[in-house]
Amino acid sequence: YRELHTFELQAPTRLIEWARGSRVCVAGYGQSGGNEILQLIPPPSLQAKETQGLCPERDFKVECGGFSKHPVYSLKYVPDTSFLVTSGPPDSSVQVWQVSAEDSDVIKPVGTIVTENSTGQPWAKIATMSARAPWVLHGSTLDSVQITEVELRKNVYTAARRGGEELSGVAFLDPSTALLCCARGGLCVADLRQPRGSSQPVSRTAPPGDRWCMGTARPAQCTGTASEPVARLSSSGLLTLTDLRKASEPLASARARVPSPGSGTEFLCVSWAPALPGCLAVSGFDGTVQVYDTQGWDSSGREAEPTFVHRGHVLGGAGDPALVTAHTWHPQKARTLLSAATDGSLHIWDWVQPAGNC
């Protein structure tokens, strides 16, 4: 490692999100009420533009926080605003939060976005963007996808009815296009210029049995649907890269080095590195985060060799092995990632670059 910082949270944390000013937002996912939502200030050495060697302050600091009655399964910062949105069981509603001004340490709830027939539906997958207005894209099934203007709670897009297949992820590709990933692996693209438009399938449902998640470039990086391949990860460890201009066949595929299938799919996560072309990270199978360089992949589906494996959550505690619940890349520092685990540990780390990799 070049840098490794750890922080112990009071409860297992499911997700991590970068907020304004390089803050970090985390939230708990326990079933009982009182799940914490915290905004943390990273260690000073992680906020500097260049590595500054030894630094006396190596901890995260809690800047502000709040409590959610819902388990928080997804959290997104709304860019260029003071708003956060969250979702979680027992329904597909979306909670809206506001980070208070500098003279307060409270993250307060300011509203709820309730969708039609939300009771009994899976929790909503969410994505945010502020290119036109502060928007949240949300939905639990293919026919329940909506876009809501966060500040005014105004609906600006509703998907046409075309089936109730469960979603595993949603993302903005650009201000006019959204990408939807079904739990069975199919991809659909929605044209947001049609207020009640239907989503068009661009990649068929994958072989039965596996559950899938997806990773796309951040909206700020995107200039169109072809700017970055879409990465999909299955519960058996298969990774596929898809160019949406020709989605019938994957660009490349490989198998991640993961434990035997069946270890659970609740925390599957795949994400592209913002500043390392062709590099992605995988987690959710065990206590590790694996980094892969995809630039040499073909369509064979052979097992890939990780560039780096972060095992800090495996080595850090006693009792049952920790399972990584989420990871995310630092938006500016090329090889810096954050990861959280079921034991409440939060790590931020930067690995030493091997020759010829990433």
Side-chain angles (χ1 to χ4, degrees):
Y1 295 96
R2 178 175 284 113
E3 288 273 359
L4 172 60
H5 301 264
T6 66
F7 185 68
E8 298 302 320
L9 299 161
Q10 295 196 8
T13 299
R14 186 184 175 98
L15 46 95
I16 314 163
E17 174 76 355
W18 287 102
R20 56 182 179 172
S22 294
R23 270 37 175 186
V24 178
C25 291
V26 298
Y29 63 92
Q31 295 301 315
S32 60
N35 293 286
E36 281 191 304
I37 299 176
L38 300 175
Q39 182 166 289
L40 307 175
I41 302 174
S45 64
L46 268 298
Q47 301 179 67
K49 292 184 179 181
E50 298 180 359
T51 303
Q52 296 180 335
L54 293 176
C55 180
E57 291 288 340
R58 297 186 58 83
D59 249 343
F60 290 85
K61 290 185 177 180
V62 178
E63 184 175 38
C64 54
F67 290 93
S68 171
K69 296 178 181 178
H70 285 248
V72 182
Y73 276 35
S74 186
L75 178 153
K76 297 292 180 183
Y77 165 62
V78 184
D80 305 318
T81 73
S82 60
F83 292 108
L84 302 171
V85 289
T86 64
S87 64
D91 55 39
S92 62
S93 63
V94 176
Q95 290 71 51
V96 182
W97 305 78
Q98 187 163 27
V99 180
S100 301
E102 294 181 359
D103 58 348
S104 174
D105 60 358
V106 176
I107 298 176
K108 60 182 180 181
V110 294
T112 300
I113 300 169
V114 179
T115 56
E116 184 180 353
N117 301 321
S118 64
T119 303
Q121 293 291 322
W123 58 277
K125 313 310 180 289
I126 55 179
T128 56
M129 175 177 273
S130 292
R132 295 182 181 176
W135 283 0
V136 56
L137 168 68
H138 55 102
S140 57
T141 57
L142 204 53
D143 61 358
S144 68
V145 174
Q146 296 182 18
I147 294 176
T148 303
E149 204 281 314
V150 173
E151 211 160 1
L152 302 177
R153 317 285 192 274
K154 177 185 176 183
N155 179 271
V156 295
Y157 172 86
T158 301
R161 300 286 178 183
R162 64 170 311 273
E165 190 172 352
E166 183 182 353
L167 294 175
S168 64
V170 299
F172 285 104
L173 295 176
D174 58 44
S176 302
T177 317
L179 182 65
L180 316 174
C181 182
C182 297
R184 291 189 294 171
L187 295 175
C188 295
V189 170
D191 186 345
L192 307 180
R193 293 167 294 189
Q194 304 176 30
R196 294 196 65 86
S198 61
S199 53
Q200 302 300 319
V202 295
S203 180
R204 297 293 179 185
T205 299
D210 283 359
R211 287 182 66 88
W212 293 74
C213 66
M214 72 169 178
T216 63
R218 297 170 187 264
Q221 298 169 261
C222 296
T223 57
T225 57
S227 64
E228 183 79 72
V230 176
R232 279 177 291 171
L233 171 67
S234 80
S235 53
S236 63
L238 182 63
L239 282 157
T240 64
L241 310 182
T242 303
D243 185 337
L244 295 179
R245 296 170 298 183
K246 189 181 178 182
S248 57
E249 295 291 335
L251 284 174
S253 63
R255 192 163 293 279
R257 187 173 294 178
V258 299
S260 58
S263 57
T265 62
E266 186 178 5
F267 302 117
L268 288 185
C269 183
V270 57
S271 63
W272 285 107
L276 292 174
C279 232
L280 56 75
V282 167
S283 67
F285 294 93
D286 54 18
T288 68
V289 181
Q290 301 180 18
V291 179
Y292 290 90
D293 184 354
T294 69
Q295 294 181 89
W297 288 7
D298 54 26
S299 57
S300 65
R302 293 190 294 253
E303 184 175 277
E305 181 74 24
T307 297
F308 183 79
V309 180
H310 174 59
R311 294 188 171 89
H313 298 285
V314 177
L315 305 173
D320 294 335
L323 175 64
V324 172
T325 57
H327 74 262
T328 188
W329 295 81
H330 193 288
Q332 287 90 34
K333 292 179 176 289
R335 290 190 304 279
T336 299
L337 291 93
L338 284 90
S339 53
T342 51
D343 61 357
S345 58
L346 177 66
H347 292 180
I348 186 165
W349 42 279
D350 185 342
W351 79 94
V352 177
Q353 180 180 5
N357 286 318
C358 284

